[in-house]
Every structure is written in C-alpha cells, then in structure tokens.
Amino acid sequence: MPDWTYHPLRGVAAAVIGRRRSQLTALRMLASIGARPAGARLIARGFGHRHPPRHLAGEVAGVPVAVRLGISVPPSLARETVRAMPPLGAGVVEVGPVAAADVRTVREAAAGRSIPVVVRDCGPALEAALAPHVDGFTRGDDPRVVRVSDASVTAAAAVLDDPGAVVLARPGVLVASGPGWFARVTEAATPTAPAPALRDVGRSPRRWPAWWWALLVGLGMTGAGLGAAAITLGPVLLWYDRDYLGMTLHELHGVNHHLVHFLQHDRITMAGTMVSIGALYTGLAVGGIRRGRPWAREAYLASGAIGFPTLFYFLSTGFVEPLHTATAVVLFPMFLAAVRRRPHAVPRWRLVPEGPEPERRRALVGQLLLIVTGAGLFVGGAVISVVGLTSVFVPADLTFLGTDARALDAVNPRIVPFLAHDRAGFGGALMSAAVAIVLVSAWGWRRGEAWVFWSLAVAAAAGFLPAVVVHGTIHYTDFVHLAPVYLGIALTGTGLLLARPYLCAKAPADR
C-alpha cells in the first residue's frame, strides 16, 4: 500500500484488527505482491517511479548494491521484508542479530531473493552455516553502516552524500513514515540542475523540447474548450450542425422546448472538461516534463492515449464534427512530438526541505481523496461513453425532456445520433481527464510542488462549476443526476484544502 492509503487508513485498520496485526498484515500483503515480477513492477510504479541516480550505487560488506539504502530487521521479519522491500526502493536487507535458532529462518528468507541479504553480528560458526545462503556479513560497530531510527528524509539523504556510507532504516522508520520512505530519500539525494526557461526553447520547431510540445497541446485544449463554450453560449448550432440535422435552431426548439437547453448542457460540460484537460496538460508540461519528472511524461501519455482515440466514436454515431476533427488533427502530431522527444537526462526539479509531519499526514488524506475522485470520474466517463453509444439517454434526461428517443426519431431520425455524438465525446474526454487526475495525484504529491495544486484546482473549477451552473440555468436539477457532481466537488475541495500547505510550501530561500 502506498503512503496515501497507509497513513489515512492505518488508524481504522488498527481499530479493527489491532495495531501490531495491521502492521504485519500490510507487510505480508506487500511481500505477497512483491514476490511476483508483475506485482513488483506494479508496486514500483504505484509508489512513484523510482529512478535512483548512479552515484547512490555502492557496496555494503563488500557486496555491490544498486542503491546504498536498505533496512535492518530481526530474523522474525526477514522473510516478508526480503520480498516486500525491493519494489519500494530498498537496495539491501540486513538481518540481525542472528542466533543459532535463527539459521533456518534466515536461510528460508534469503531463498529466491532479488536484492542482497546480509547478516549482522553472528559468530564464526553461524557465518560458516549461513555463508552459502546470504551475500555477506556486517558488524554493528561498522561506522560506514548508519542504522537510523529517525524517519527524517533530509538526514538520511545527507548521510548518502558520503559515497562510502550505507543507510539502513530500522522497522520503526517505515512504521512511522510509511512505505514510500525509500523513494522519498532517493529523490532527496538526487542532484538536480536548474529547469530550462522559455528563452532556452529556440525558434526552430525541430529543436523544441518535449515539454514545449506538451505545453502547446495543453494550451490548444484550453483554447478549444473555451471556443466550444463560446459557440454553445452563442449560436449553439454551426453550419455543419444545421446541414446534418436539416433544421435550424428555431426548428429544433419547436420539436421540444427543452431540446436546445439539453444540447447546451451537454456541450458546456464537454467544453469545461476540455479546459480541465488543458490545465492538467499545461501543468504536466511546465511543472513535470520540463523538470525531468519521468512520471509526468507517462501520465501525459496515458491520458492522451485515452482521449484521442475517442474521436472515433463517430463510427458509432455517424456524425463527424469538423471542428472536433480539425482540433484532433492539429493537436495529435504535437502530442506525438511531446511523447517521442527524449526527456531531460538530468533531473531539473527544485527540492523543498521536508516540513512538519502533521502537514504531510493531512496532505496524504487529501491525496487519497483526489485519487478517489479521479477514479470515480473515470468510471463516470466510461458509463457516459457507453450510454452515449447505446441508449443515449438516462431516465433523468427523459424526465427533463418530457419525451423519449422514439418520439424524437419520429420527428427527425438524426436528432438522437446528433446528441449521442456530444454525449459519447464528453464521456471520452472525462475519462482522459480522470486518468490525468489520478496519475498526477498518485505520482506528483511532493512538498513544494505548487503546480500540482494549481493544476488540479483549475481543472476542478473548469470541470465542476460549468456543470453545476448550466444545470441550474436550464432547471435540470434532479438531485440523483447531480449527486456525483456534488460529491466530486466536496471530495476535491476537501482534498485540496488539506494538501495546500504541503503542496504550496516554499523553500526558505524563496521567503
């Protein structure tokens, strides 16, 4: 479990099954998943994309390690620890002290290991018994091996500045700080360079970096959403809409006096979602990809891989909207350029020192709320897409319209496919935005990353507020229909308020 579930839910788990049992259950769950290659990859990605720099490699007790960061545990926890810690970012597991009764336990724990296992403080006889099964032996008085009981990320990163030092956390560190401690220390110990500025982009498109192309897509999505909103609030129907329907706006209103308002409500929510995607892509470009965050490029890619293919929803509805198609045709090559260009090899983010632990704990609750909101939006977008491509209307829609699909088909068989296009497109855009929200929230939650806060805040405002306003304006106020929107506003607002002091914290030099 990542920190954003560990800390918010640990109190509940302790109350239900007991504090010690809940801790052992969490460790065993991680060990069960991490023992499988696919599970280990899933944990590594879910915990924030570890990318340890080369200078953190070294050795402990003569054993090469990929990262000079690990954990020291008693033999009773060795088996689960050896399987659970590698995906979290540990480079070595130390077991000790070991007595004669622990030899079998250590042997079983080291079997099938994916990282080095060393044993501490055992005599010559035990070393001889364990030598074929473990990678090395350490001493408790070795000054190069620093065993820490303090969960301070800054202190552990400072120790790693010494190329000969190894930091081993005691179990209490992970209990207090959470499973993401290794990734946080690794990132704090990563040297960074200044981020590129606008003047570094240049004039030749062939030399534009990935983050600039991603920014253009974000700005393009924002502009397209604002343009769609202006059309919806103005003429509503453009020439190609009238040509497809064979009807004017006045004639459409004559078919059903709620129909134009229903069309506006679909299109304004779609426009707001497009602006939300634009805000998220702009944040990922400037705050993430520009600063060399590998996860930012992957979040951007995953969102676009959901959003752009939804253009082909027209194969089901039969209505091809020229402006929608033109926007996709213009933005998709830019999207490809952003994901194909090689990102910065050197990290360029700005490190903000860790702050009070209560601040981080509150932010983790906010992080959980944002991820839950994003997951809910994805499910909602999938449902809307399916409805838009099949029945088109939900019961609340028909109640508002005071009619049904058959009656509309009897007047004009193109009205329902016309509405289906907008509804299905909105569902696809909502899924694309939801993926970005989930991944930005899961991978970008770091102290001082104000762009994460503002990207999510602007996206939430652009997505939720137009939906609430347009429903109220046209008097489509069915509570059950709007309940997901109200819940999303409550979860997002609470999550952002809890996380704001953490995400918007500034480095001392900036004050």
Side-chain angles (χ1 to χ4, degrees):
M1 54 188 64
D3 286 357
W4 47 267
T5 58
Y6 173 77
H7 282 297
L9 303 180
R10 62 184 295 196
V12 177
V16 174
I17 63 175
R19 179 173 174 270
R20 177 65 174 171
R21 185 176 296 177
S22 66
Q23 293 170 359
L24 291 175
T25 300
L27 178 61
R28 288 166 183 165
M29 182 183 299
L30 286 171
S32 177
I33 299 173
R36 297 168 175 80
R41 289 192 295 270
L42 176 64
I43 293 175
R45 288 182 176 273
F47 278 71
H49 286 231
R50 297 177 294 101
H51 296 273
R54 294 181 180 179
H55 83 280
L56 290 184
E59 63 177 38
V60 55
V63 180
V65 294
V67 56
R68 293 176 285 110
L69 185 65
I71 187 169
S72 179
V73 297
S76 61
L77 298 177
R79 186 178 185 278
E80 289 80 9
T81 301
V82 169
R83 286 153 180 76
M85 293 302 111
L88 303 184
V92 61
V93 174
E94 180 190 67
V95 183
V98 175
D102 301 318
V103 170
R104 181 177 178 180
T105 301
V106 175
R107 287 176 177 175
E108 293 177 351
R113 62 192 178 276
S114 59
I115 59 171
V117 174
V118 297
V119 175
R120 184 183 86 241
D121 294 338
C122 63
L126 294 182
E127 286 191 12
L130 290 172
H133 305 281
V134 299
D135 298 286
F137 300 90
T138 57
R139 298 289 179 267
D141 57 356
D142 188 344
R144 296 169 299 177
V145 180
V146 181
R147 298 171 184 85
V148 297
S149 300
D150 182 4
S152 171
V153 170
T154 303
V159 174
L160 292 175
D161 286 341
D162 180 355
V166 177
V167 175
L168 299 178
R170 300 189 186 277
V173 171
L174 265 66
V175 171
S177 183
W181 186 80
F182 294 112
R184 293 167 60 210
V185 172
T186 299
E187 190 165 284
T190 301
T192 64
L198 181 61
R199 62 178 177 273
D200 301 323
V201 172
R203 297 183 178 180
S204 174
R206 291 182 298 177
R207 298 184 179 181
W208 285 353
W211 71 268
W212 183 251
W213 286 111
L215 174 61
L216 292 179
V217 175
L219 296 176
M221 286 295 296
T222 302
L226 294 175
I231 294 171
T232 303
L233 298 175
V236 184
L237 298 180
L238 295 180
W239 73 94
Y240 54 80
D241 297 320
R242 295 190 295 269
D243 290 343
Y244 176 79
L245 289 170
M247 303 175 70
T248 64
L249 186 66
H250 180 73
E251 292 171 334
L252 193 64
H253 184 76
V255 172
N256 183 296
H257 64 283
H258 288 306
L259 197 55
V260 173
H261 287 159
F262 186 82
L263 176 62
Q264 287 179 307
H265 123 278
D266 265 355
R267 289 192 166 185
I268 204 69
T269 50
M270 172 67 169
T273 304
M274 292 173 66
V275 175
S276 295
I277 295 173
L280 293 165
Y281 284 7
T282 299
L284 284 168
V286 177
I289 300 174
R290 182 174 69 98
R291 292 175 176 165
R293 298 281 191 187
W295 65 263
R297 174 184 174 275
E298 295 181 18
Y300 174 84
L301 172 60
S303 175
I306 294 290
F308 279 105
T310 60
L311 172 68
F312 295 99
Y313 279 171
F314 77 86
L315 296 175
S316 176
T317 64
F319 174 51
V320 182
E321 187 179 19
L323 283 184
H324 187 178
T325 304
T327 300
V329 168
V330 171
L331 295 182
F332 186 63
M334 300 181 187
F335 173 80
L336 290 179
V339 296
R340 288 176 61 88
R341 294 290 172 96
R342 182 175 298 178
H344 299 302
V346 178
R348 297 176 182 271
W349 56 75
R350 182 189 62 175
L351 293 175
V352 175
E354 59 183 329
E357 185 63 12
E359 178 188 87
R360 187 176 81 92
R361 299 285 180 89
R362 289 191 294 270
L364 290 173
V365 176
Q367 184 179 16
L368 176 60
L369 294 178
L370 263 297
I371 292 173
V372 169
T373 301
L377 290 174
F378 184 85
V379 173
V383 170
I384 292 170
S385 293
V386 172
V387 170
L389 296 174
T390 54
S391 60
V392 182
F393 303 107
V394 297
D397 298 333
L398 299 178
T399 301
F400 171 74
L401 290 170
T403 186
D404 57 29
R406 291 183 179 179
L408 295 175
D409 279 335
V411 176
N412 185 337
R414 288 192 170 186
I415 291 178
V416 174
F418 182 74
L419 297 173
H421 170 272
D422 290 341
R423 176 142 295 190
F426 168 56
L430 189 58
M431 287 193 295
S432 178
V435 168
I437 290 169
V438 169
L439 297 184
V440 168
S441 300
W443 296 339
W445 224 251
R446 291 168 177 81
R447 192 167 191 267
E449 296 288 282
W451 71 268
V452 172
F453 174 86
W454 291 112
S455 296
L456 292 170
V458 172
F464 288 128
L465 294 183
V468 172
V469 171
V470 73
H471 279 85
T473 301
I474 68 174
H475 305 293
Y476 186 176
T477 54
D478 182 89
F479 179 78
V480 175
H481 181 72
L482 290 174
V485 178
Y486 297 145
L487 180 60
I489 292 174
L491 292 178
T492 303
T494 303
L496 290 176
L497 285 174
L498 290 172
R500 188 180 187 281
Y502 179 78
L503 293 176
C504 296
K506 295 183 179 180
D510 295 336
R511 291 198 180 102

